């Protein structure tokens, strides 16, 4: 293996920066005086909070951290005891269970919200989740209503943009009230500039997996980069992380180094990961030398690789565009098919794996139709089911068998096609 | 069913509506469409659809209400997973088996994630039908929400006009508001009659009368409702020893009629419910004379519509509203009956439970599926619940 200068920087820096971020949450919870706003990942408007020095708290990130650390189940069960259904999104249940358990987690104490900023970007569960938090915490809630992409053009109308801008202006007023500070436009522009550079780097990172071998796994390694993308976007630290990540991964790409010894299969993966069983799930692909070269999940917070950048000269408008158009959750299901199609072609992948999660119907409802669509187009497509948060829905042996059978058949098919050409 | 039958009894009328509701397909709507060239059908997915817009465009807005328990799902369950509610699958199944082929447009709304994805899946599978998706604001009470919704309505009307070739004037929309106001007003009356004198009007009777409106023009529905009301007012009877229960939660996918009957037979007068909520969405008439009728409809949605799990209005608590509603109807208990896998309904329950317990209102929570055939278990659970209340 070539002697790589940046080897491993990305992971160390990620750990350091996320630890700092969580320390700031704990400090806020313990009375540092820094206000905290809860908000959601989908196309989030974090830049606006930066301009007011409001700490962003992402309940989805907290929930997934609980799951990765195998701490989610008791909280989920506590929420079910309160009356939540086994069919409700388990992110919500883990979060609400954790809230009533004193907001203490192995990684941070989560502060009470000063503001509940419900950026309704496609997911209807967001509304229930934040509605309930508002009821439990008694804290002010702001519902940012983002019209769904629903017309044939696939883009928001001028009316949509103006509507979101009006709401953002009211959100600014609310933040002014909460913090007692006027909006500093220079600070907002600066946060948006940092986001714009961060997004551009993230996009370049995404395009690196077009090389063969891909320098990293666009699913299992992307998730390492997603936490800084949300929790630190719009800050100098966030930008520094992505500069480091890009340098390291570009170097790997140039050196022809990938995450596995060899790259046998290049596939696209759709759907969130099974956080409670991430390592086991990853191994199921690694043993086949299969690398995800693109993933839809890594675009829930923002879709940068198709050309979006924040514009510091029009900060609010670019935040509005990000919320409306440039993230997976606010796009319709058929736009997702088109996104996957682009990945398959431009990233040169030969198979599609759909991980269908019970909790997240935003992602999963209708994925059988998606399978049908791609299968009819001659793309080997596998659909497997589990959950993103609830460890009880992972059947390891069955999952392994399905994945084994799939890659065996894809391998066979490739061999036959190779022989025939 | 076009010509009113003279001297038809209430029971016969209810039976005719029941037949219409339970027979698969949309025969009456299709006959209406054939009567005059240029007519068109719009299939409206629950919960609430602004039917006035389609009516004004010269279409018949037909309410979709799933496949009931007489349809087998043979194709759609490979498209939507086992953890998705039944109505999403049965609606797609209706498409795949040609039941919806006479529809010119299908209308979906921003009620939940599965319904939203269904709009896309439907559009992909049936490219010859127009699929519209209406975004209802979820920041009700915000100054910009109503105006935005009014423009959304105009967008939908333009889209429908393209289909029918008929330009829609403000007066057309006002006339449609007016006829639907009349329908909603009689439904409100019937609901009030049932609440005041539930022994004179069973929910098993009221329900098909209201749901008949899913299938026929509002003018025809109005006539049926008026005749029904006259006959109900002439009924006599004595109350039985039953509890007064409010039924909440079944606002989208609908329980089988026999399940409704089973609940009543288990010893309940249902004094209020969430069934077919979209047909009685407004708490009072929509302004039919407004300068801008789109704004009037949007304003009614934002400010004078019933609380519903798929509508998020942070100005009021839905759980408190449920308790108030139970009190207003002098309900002894609440039955929370959610469609299986219906996430919006299931999300209401923890807050409902908390509020009902705080208000010392007994409740029972149950789940149903439209495709259920056997109701013994639910009936027994309700009987036990009722007995615990009657004899405690
Ligand atoms: S349904 Fe999906 S997008 Fe929505 S909160 Fe749950 S996990 Fe997140
Ligand atoms: S029954 Fe519930 S989950 Fe199903 S479409 Fe209706 S609102 Fe959505």
């Amino acid at each position: 293996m070539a002697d790589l200068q940046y080897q491993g920087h990305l992971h160390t820096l990620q750990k350091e920066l996320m630890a700092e971020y969580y320390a700031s949450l704990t400090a806020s919870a313990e009375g540092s005086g820094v206000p905290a706003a809860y908000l959601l990942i989908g196309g989030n408007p974090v830049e606006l909070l930066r301009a007011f020095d409001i700490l962003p708290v992402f309940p989805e990130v907290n929930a997934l951290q609980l799951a990765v650390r195998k701490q989610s189940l008791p909280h989920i069960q506590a929420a079910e005891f309160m009356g939540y259904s086994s069919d409700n999104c388990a992110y919500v249940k883990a979060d609400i269970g954790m809230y009533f358990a004193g907001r203490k987690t192995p990684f941070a104490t989560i502060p009470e919200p000063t503001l509940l900023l419900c950026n309704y970007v496609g997911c209807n569960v967001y509304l229930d989740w934040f509605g309930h938090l508002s009821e439990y915490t008694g804290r002010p809630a702001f519902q940012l209503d983002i019209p769904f992409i629903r017309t044939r053009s696939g883009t928001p109308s001028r009316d949509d943009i103006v509507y979101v801008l009006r709401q953002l202006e009211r959100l600014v007023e609310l933040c002014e009230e909460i913090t007692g500070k006027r909006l500093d436009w220079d600070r907002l522009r600066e946060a948006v500039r940092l986001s714009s550079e961060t997004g551009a780097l993230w996009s370049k990172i995404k395009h690196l997996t077009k090389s063969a071998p891909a320098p990293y796994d666009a699913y299992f390694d992307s998730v390492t980069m997603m936490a800084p993308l949300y929790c630190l976007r719009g800050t100098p630290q966030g930008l520094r992380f992505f500069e480091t990540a890009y340098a390291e991964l570009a170097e790997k790409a140039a050196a022809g180094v990938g995450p596995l010894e060899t790259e046998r299969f290049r596939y696209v993966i759709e759907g969130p990961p099974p956080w409670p069983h991430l390592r086991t799930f990853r191994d199921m692909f690694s043993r086949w030398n299969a690398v995800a070269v693109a993933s839809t999940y890594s675009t829930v917070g923002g879709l940068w690789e198709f050309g979006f950048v924040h514009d510091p000269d029009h900060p609010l408008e670019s935040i509005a565009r990000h919320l409306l158009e440039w993230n997976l959750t606010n796009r319709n299901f058929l736009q997702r098919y088109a996104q996957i199609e682009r990945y398959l072609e431009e990233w040169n992948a030969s198979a599609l794996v759909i991980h269908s999660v019970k909790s997240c119907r935003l992602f999963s409802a209708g994925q059988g139709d998606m399978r049908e669509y791609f299968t009819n187009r001659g793309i080997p497509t596998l659909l497997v089911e589990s959950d993103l948060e609830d460890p009880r829905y992972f059947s390891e042996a069955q999952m392994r068998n399905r994945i084994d059978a799939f890659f065996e058949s894809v391998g066979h098919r490739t061999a036959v096609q190779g022989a025939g050409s | 069913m076009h010509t009113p039958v003279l001297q038809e009894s209430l029971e016969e009328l209810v039976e005719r509506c029941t037949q219409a509701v339970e027979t698969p397909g949309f025969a009456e709507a299709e006959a209406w469409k054939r009567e005059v060239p240029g007519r068109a059908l719009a299939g409206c997915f629950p919960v609430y659809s602004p039917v006035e817009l389609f009516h004004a465009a010269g279409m018949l807005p037909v309410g979709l209400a799933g496949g009931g328990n007489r349809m087998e799902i043979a194709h759609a369950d490979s498209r939507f997973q086992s953890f998705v509610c039944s109505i999403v699958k049965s609606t797609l199944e209706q498409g795949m088996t040609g039941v919806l082929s006479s529809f010119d447009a299908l209308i979906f709304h921003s009620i939940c994630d599965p319904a939203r994805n269904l709009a896309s899946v439907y559009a992909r599978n049936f490219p010859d039908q127009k699929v519209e998706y209406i975004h209802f604001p979820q920041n009700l009470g915000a100054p910009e929400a109503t105006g935005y919704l009014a423009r959304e309505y105009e967008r939908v009307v333009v889209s429908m006009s393209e289909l029918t070739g008929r330009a829609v004037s403000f007066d057309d929309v006002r006339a449609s508001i007016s006829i639907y106001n009349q329908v909603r007003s009689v439904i409100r009356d019937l609901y009030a009659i049932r609440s005041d004198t539930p022994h004179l009007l069973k929910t098993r009777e009221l329900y098909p009368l209201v749901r008949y409106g899913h299938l026929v023009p509002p003018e025809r529905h109005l006539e049926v409702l008026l005749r029904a009301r006259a006959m109900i007012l002439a009924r006599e009877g004595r109350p039985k020893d039953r509890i007064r229960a409010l039924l909440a939660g079944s606002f989208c996918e609908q329980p089988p009629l026999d399940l409704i009957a089973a609940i009543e037979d288990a010893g309940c007068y249902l004094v209020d419910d969430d069934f077919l909520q979209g047909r009685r969405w407004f708490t009072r008439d929509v302004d039919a004379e407004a300068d801008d009728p789109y704004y009037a409809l949007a304003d009614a949605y934002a400010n004078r519509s019933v609380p519903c799990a798929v509508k998020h209005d942070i100005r009021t608590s839905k759980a408190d509203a449920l308790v108030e509603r139970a009190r207003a109807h002098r309900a002894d208990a609440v039955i929370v009956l959610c469609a299986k896998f219906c996430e919006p309904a299931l999300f209401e329950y923890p807050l409902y439970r908390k509020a009902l317990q705080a208000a010392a209102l007994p409740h029972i929570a149950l789940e149903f599926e439209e495709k259920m055939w056997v109701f013994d278990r639910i009936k027994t659970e309700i009987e036990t619940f009722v007995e615990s209340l009657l004899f405690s």
Side-chain angles (χ1 to χ4, degrees):
Chain A
M1 193 185 275
D3 190 13
L4 299 178
Q5 194 191 343
Y6 291 100
Q7 184 72 0
H9 281 195
L10 183 164
H11 280 92
T12 327
L13 187 59
Q14 197 265 13
K15 283 212 170 74
E16 271 172 32
L17 292 175
M18 287 309 291
E20 276 174 30
Y21 166 74
Y22 281 122
S24 71
L25 295 195
T26 304
S28 168
E30 291 173 354
S32 71
V34 179
Y38 289 12
L39 76 167
L40 294 138
I41 295 291
N44 62 76
V46 71
E47 294 79 10
L48 199 59
L49 302 178
R50 303 274 179 226
F52 285 99
D53 290 316
I54 298 175
L55 195 55
V57 178
F58 293 96
E60 286 158 296
V61 176
N62 299 336
L64 76 87
Q65 293 289 355
L66 288 170
V68 169
R69 289 170 166 81
K70 307 211 181 297
Q71 308 266 327
S72 60
L73 188 56
H75 295 312
I76 292 172
Q77 286 169 327
E80 288 177 356
F81 191 69
M82 292 170 69
Y84 289 90
S85 161
S86 59
D87 293 310
N88 283 132
C89 169
Y91 266 8
V92 181
K93 288 185 283 184
D95 182 57
I96 285 175
M98 184 267 285
Y99 180 82
F100 284 107
R103 295 174 278 105
K104 291 213 176 353
T105 72
F107 43 94
T109 305
I110 310 301
E112 283 274 8
T114 310
L115 166 68
L116 291 159
L117 168 53
C118 182
N119 43 307
Y120 168 50
V121 180
C123 171
N124 285 282
V125 170
Y126 282 179
L127 295 159
D128 286 309
W129 190 349
F130 274 46
H132 288 212
L133 284 175
S134 158
E135 186 113 3
Y136 298 140
T137 63
R139 299 303 165 106
F142 187 93
Q143 302 223 20
L144 186 56
D145 178 45
I146 306 299
F148 191 62
I149 301 288
R150 61 206 180 283
T151 56
R152 212 156 280 171
S153 73
T155 51
S157 66
R158 191 66 218 162
D159 270 355
D160 293 337
I161 294 168
V162 171
Y163 175 56
V164 174
L165 278 173
R166 291 290 90 79
Q167 296 179 73
L168 289 174
E169 285 158 11
R170 282 197 307 107
L171 177 59
V172 165
E173 286 167 18
L174 180 62
C175 292
E176 289 181 336
E177 243 171 65
I178 286 174
T179 58
K181 290 193 274 201
R182 300 286 297 174
L183 170 66
D184 178 342
W185 282 92
D186 285 337
R187 291 223 37 211
L188 178 62
R189 275 189 282 268
E190 176 61 6
V192 172
R193 185 189 65 77
L194 288 162
S195 269
S196 141
E197 291 183 26
T198 302
L201 284 163
W202 177 232
S203 166
K204 282 165 77 177
I205 290 172
K206 289 288 188 89
H207 284 273
L208 287 174
T209 48
K210 286 180 171 170
S211 345
Y216 67 98
D217 188 288
Y219 192 51
F220 296 106
D221 294 322
S222 283
V223 298
T224 310
M225 293 181 267
M226 284 164 68
L229 185 66
Y230 309 139
C231 301
L232 305 173
R233 199 176 72 246
T235 68
Q237 297 90 313
L239 180 57
R240 183 157 65 92
F241 173 79
F242 280 93
E243 285 164 349
T244 307
Y246 178 66
E248 181 171 322
L249 298 171
E251 190 181 60
K252 281 189 171 174
V257 175
L260 301 168
E261 280 296 310
T262 47
E263 178 183 282
R264 183 165 169 222
F265 297 105
R266 294 169 68 81
Y267 69 98
V268 173
I269 185 160
E270 141 83 359
W275 294 113
H277 303 277
L278 194 61
R279 165 109 337 250
T280 313
F281 194 54
R282 181 172 196 159
D283 288 344
M284 292 179 188
F285 294 91
S286 306
R287 62 200 291 255
W288 283 95
N289 288 318
V291 177
V293 294
S295 61
T296 49
Y297 180 64
S298 58
T299 61
V300 287
L303 177 54
W304 278 274
E305 59 261 40
F306 295 163
F308 173 67
V309 273
H310 281 87
D311 175 2
D313 292 332
H314 300 96
L316 284 187
E317 178 154 343
S318 68
I319 291 173
R321 286 184 184 278
H322 180 209
L323 283 157
L324 277 158
E325 186 180 0
W326 292 103
N327 61 83
L328 172 131
T329 55
N330 207 50
R331 295 181 155 218
N332 66 53
F333 205 48
L334 297 183
Q335 288 178 299
R336 206 180 321 153
Y337 293 17
Q339 183 178 340
I340 293 170
E341 222 148 28
R342 260 186 93 169
Y343 289 150
L344 286 163
E345 280 164 25
E346 296 173 26
W347 272 256
N348 193 24
S350 59
L352 171 64
V353 175
I354 302 172
H355 181 231
S356 169
V357 297
K358 181 177 190 285
S359 273
C360 185
R361 290 169 175 84
L362 170 142
F363 248 108
S364 62
Q367 279 170 331
D369 185 75
M370 179 189 279
R371 172 182 54 195
E372 167 99 5
Y373 176 82
F374 284 101
T375 307
N376 286 346
R377 279 181 155 53
I379 307 293
T381 302
L382 171 72
L383 189 151
V384 286
E385 280 185 22
S386 78
D387 197 55
L388 46 59
E389 181 78 9
D390 193 324
R392 296 170 293 188
Y393 294 105
F394 191 83
S395 145
E396 187 177 339
Q398 196 192 0
M399 182 83 94
R400 190 182 300 278
N401 286 342
R402 307 258 343 260
I403 290 172
D404 285 351
F406 179 68
F407 283 110
E408 200 164 314
S409 100
V410 178
H412 180 70
R413 186 168 156 148
T414 321
V416 171
Q417 279 170 355
S421 63
Chain B
M1 184 144 179
H2 302 182
T3 36
V5 183
L6 285 176
Q7 286 167 344
E8 187 182 35
S9 70
L10 180 62
E11 290 70 23
E12 284 162 344
L13 182 58
V14 167
E15 181 51 27
R16 278 205 297 131
C17 291
T18 300
Q19 285 300 324
V21 163
E22 296 229 296
T23 307
F26 299 92
E28 282 191 63
E30 286 163 1
W32 175 88
K33 180 176 162 177
R34 278 193 305 270
E35 270 167 28
V36 179
R39 284 182 170 176
L41 300 181
C44 304
F45 197 77
V47 178
Y48 164 75
S49 198
V51 282
E52 288 85 346
L53 305 182
F54 310 105
H55 186 260
M59 304 174 90
L60 175 58
V62 177
L64 303 179
N69 59 7
R70 301 187 178 195
M71 195 178 78
E72 196 196 336
I73 309 273
H75 311 88
D77 50 4
S78 70
R79 308 300 179 89
F80 282 91
Q81 297 91 323
S82 56
F83 50 78
V84 173
C85 69
S86 181
I87 188 174
V88 162
K89 292 179 218 169
S90 59
T91 304
L92 184 62
E93 186 76 19
Q94 287 178 321
M96 290 172 142
T97 51
V99 177
L100 303 179
S101 57
S102 55
F103 286 81
D104 303 278
L106 269 288
I107 318 297
F108 298 90
H109 319 92
S110 53
I111 53 167
C112 68
D113 299 339
R116 187 201 44 222
N117 289 1
L118 173 62
S120 285
V121 169
Y122 198 94
R124 177 181 100 69
N125 283 277
F126 304 98
D128 295 338
Q129 286 171 314
K130 187 161 210 160
V131 172
E132 270 301 342
Y133 183 89
I134 300 180
H135 178 85
F136 288 117
Q138 296 289 8
N139 54 350
L140 299 172
E144 56 281 336
T146 307
Y148 181 79
L149 182 57
R151 286 192 301 277
E152 174 74 348
Y153 284 168
E154 279 190 84
R155 178 185 73 76
V156 172
V157 163
V158 169
S159 163
M160 292 303 122
S161 296
E162 285 167 9
L163 208 67
T164 57
R166 170 170 156 173
V168 178
S169 70
F170 275 13
D171 275 338
D172 292 331
V173 183
R174 289 185 193 112
S176 298
I177 291 177
S178 172
I179 179 77
Y180 280 104
N181 270 346
Q182 294 172 59
V183 172
R184 282 185 291 255
S185 156
V186 188
I187 295 177
R188 274 199 301 273
D189 275 1
L190 294 177
Y191 265 66
I193 293 171
R194 183 190 51 167
S195 180
D196 290 342
T197 49
H199 53 288
L200 297 184
L201 177 60
K202 285 192 207 156
T203 302
R204 173 60 186 77
E205 296 170 320
L206 172 60
Y207 180 89
L209 290 171
V210 175
R211 182 150 157 198
Y212 184 53
H214 265 25
L215 305 170
V216 295
E219 298 79 4
R220 193 175 293 166
H221 190 211
L222 180 63
E223 175 218 69
V224 164
L225 292 173
L226 288 171
R227 278 198 296 129
R229 183 178 64 181
M231 290 189 280
I232 292 161
L233 288 173
R235 261 185 171 175
E236 283 173 11
R238 282 164 171 274
K240 294 192 187 126
D241 196 14
R242 294 186 164 193
I243 66 156
R244 294 172 61 86
L246 183 153
L247 190 146
S250 327
F251 46 83
C252 181
E253 185 174 316
Q254 295 295 289
L257 281 173
D258 289 343
L259 174 57
I260 297 175
I263 293 173
E264 293 188 296
D265 291 346
C268 300
Y269 285 131
L270 295 180
V271 291
D272 197 20
D273 60 59
D274 284 351
F275 302 141
L276 309 167
Q277 231 178 5
R279 296 220 85 83
R280 27 194 200 88
W281 194 246
F282 301 116
T283 50
R284 52 187 157 96
D285 284 355
V286 181
D287 184 355
E289 327 253 272
D291 288 344
D292 178 349
Y294 296 109
Y295 194 89
L297 265 178
D299 182 46
Y301 183 96
N303 298 309
R304 283 177 301 285
S305 57
V306 295
C308 182
V310 297
K311 200 183 82 183
H312 298 82
D313 184 348
I314 51 177
R315 292 170 296 183
T316 52
S317 145
K318 277 176 271 191
D320 290 350
L322 177 71
V323 170
E324 274 167 37
R325 192 147 68 100
R327 295 222 166 102
H329 288 278
R330 292 177 287 111
D332 306 306
V334 171
I335 298 171
V336 183
L337 182 68
C338 301
K340 201 162 166 45
F341 304 118
C342 174
E343 215 173 7
L346 295 168
F347 260 124
E348 292 305 310
Y349 179 62
L351 297 185
Y352 278 0
R353 185 169 91 162
K354 193 165 152 250
L356 291 168
Q357 282 172 349
L361 260 165
H363 78 276
I364 181 169
L366 300 162
E367 288 184 18
F368 75 94
E369 269 189 294
E370 61 173 355
K371 54 188 182 218
M372 282 171 93
W373 268 106
V374 184
F375 315 108
D376 299 353
R377 198 186 49 79
I378 289 197
K379 194 174 172 196
T380 312
E381 284 190 50
I382 295 183
E383 272 165 357
T384 313
F385 175 66
V386 170
E387 278 162 22
S388 74
L389 293 176
L390 285 177
F391 304 114
S392 61

